[in-house]
Amino acid sequence: MRKFVIMGIQGSGKGTQAKLLADDLDLVHLSVGDILRWNVQNHTKLGAQVTRIVASGELVSDDLVETVIQDRLALHDWNYGFIVDGFPRNARQAEFFLESYDIDGVIDLDLPDSEVERRVLARRLCSGCGLDYNLIAHRPKIDDVCDVCAAPLRTRSDDNPQALAVRLREYHDKTRPVIELFQRKEFVVTVDATRSAPEIQAELRTRLGLPALTTS
Ligand SMILES: [Zn+2]
């Protein structure tokens, strides 16, 4: 059984790396974002709560996220282990989490703020079908026009330098104490996330002592 925590700012490729590990090692990928989105889409009680919080301009609290993760882990359907993404949110939660579960490693995807900016500010969204584009990695064939439905592409309202600077500061302020606590108590693998997804995955596996990913 293997238990990991994965941390990284938006644009660091955290979801991709978590999925590569989870699929290959039969781990359950516990993504707070995915769980909340699923609940909103399926109109559960939790989903209604999240919708209310977001509509009032608030952020989902650390306590609510903790409940979501604890409830999910309590299902005990993770026979081969899990990889947690989006939790813990603060040092208290990290401490409690480490006491409750024997974590094998904490993965920290490191991306400089300048690169986060470059990646996030390159994001575009189709105003028609909602398809995601990225002017670095996934350009439309014709500038500013969706390949699929030909509608104009737009930028998300919060993907601007001012809003991003606030998100970056919040991320560092919140994450630093968690990473420091993990570094004191647990094995933290910090990898340079500016490289390609396969290169990052290969380094993670080497450093975590996992077998190399076999491409079939
Ligand atoms: Zn479209």
Side-chain angles (χ1 to χ4, degrees), residues 125-133 145-153:
L125 181 72
C126 173
S127 57
C129 68
L131 193 69
D132 286 311
Y133 288 86
V145 175
C146 179
D147 292 344
V148 178
C149 73
L153 303 187

Side-chain angles (χ1 to χ4, degrees), residues 3-205:
K3 285 166 266 171
F4 299 110
V5 172
I6 189 163
M7 305 183 70
I9 196 163
Q10 56 172 187
S12 64
K14 186 172 54 144
T16 305
Q17 296 302 325
K19 194 175 177 334
L20 286 170
L21 283 172
D23 287 355
D24 182 53
L25 301 168
D26 280 326
L27 309 179
V28 175
H29 178 198
L30 297 169
S31 157
V32 171
D34 288 351
I35 296 171
L36 295 181
R37 264 189 298 278
W38 185 91
N39 278 279
V40 169
Q41 279 159 6
N42 289 278
H43 306 286
T44 65
K45 211 171 137 191
L46 172 65
Q49 201 181 345
V50 171
T51 305
R52 265 201 312 277
I53 294 168
V54 173
S56 67
E58 304 283 310
L59 293 170
V60 175
S61 71
D62 292 357
D63 287 348
L64 180 63
V65 169
E66 183 171 358
T67 307
V68 165
I69 284 291
Q70 299 289 9
D71 289 354
R72 184 63 188 76
L73 286 167
L75 296 178
H76 284 281
D77 59 346
W78 32 278
N79 296 330
Y80 298 99
F82 57 72
I83 180 159
V84 174
D85 169 354
F87 181 83
R89 298 277 194 108
N90 56 46
R92 181 189 61 78
Q93 290 180 345
E95 194 124 26
F96 176 77
F97 193 57
L98 290 181
E99 279 166 16
S100 313
Y101 298 96
D102 188 17
I103 303 296
D104 292 282
V106 176
I107 298 160
D108 173 29
L109 297 175
D110 185 41
L111 199 64
D113 286 0
S114 57
E115 181 61 14
V116 176
E117 262 172 48
R118 195 177 79 92
R119 292 182 184 190
V120 169
L121 299 181
R123 295 200 291 211
R124 296 292 182 276
L125 181 72
C126 173
S127 57
C129 68
L131 193 69
D132 286 311
Y133 288 86
N134 186 298
L135 303 186
I136 303 166
H138 176 206
R139 290 189 76 89
K141 290 190 186 72
I142 303 165
D143 280 355
D144 300 321
V145 175
C146 179
D147 292 344
V148 178
C149 73
L153 303 187
R154 61 178 182 80
T155 309
R156 289 170 203 272
S157 58
D158 58 348
D159 282 354
N160 63 70
Q162 294 75 23
L164 183 61
V166 172
R167 297 210 294 280
L168 281 165
R169 198 169 56 237
E170 279 176 355
Y171 178 82
H172 293 304
D173 286 351
K174 275 201 103 140
T175 312
R176 203 175 300 118
V178 175
I179 298 217
E180 281 167 4
L181 185 134
F182 279 145
Q183 278 165 341
R184 282 200 302 276
K185 304 211 166 193
E186 209 67 29
F187 184 37
V188 178
V189 171
T190 300
V191 295
D192 170 9
T194 59
R195 295 163 305 160
S196 72
E199 286 173 310
I200 297 169
Q201 182 71 196
E203 186 187 340
L204 277 180
R205 284 169 177 268

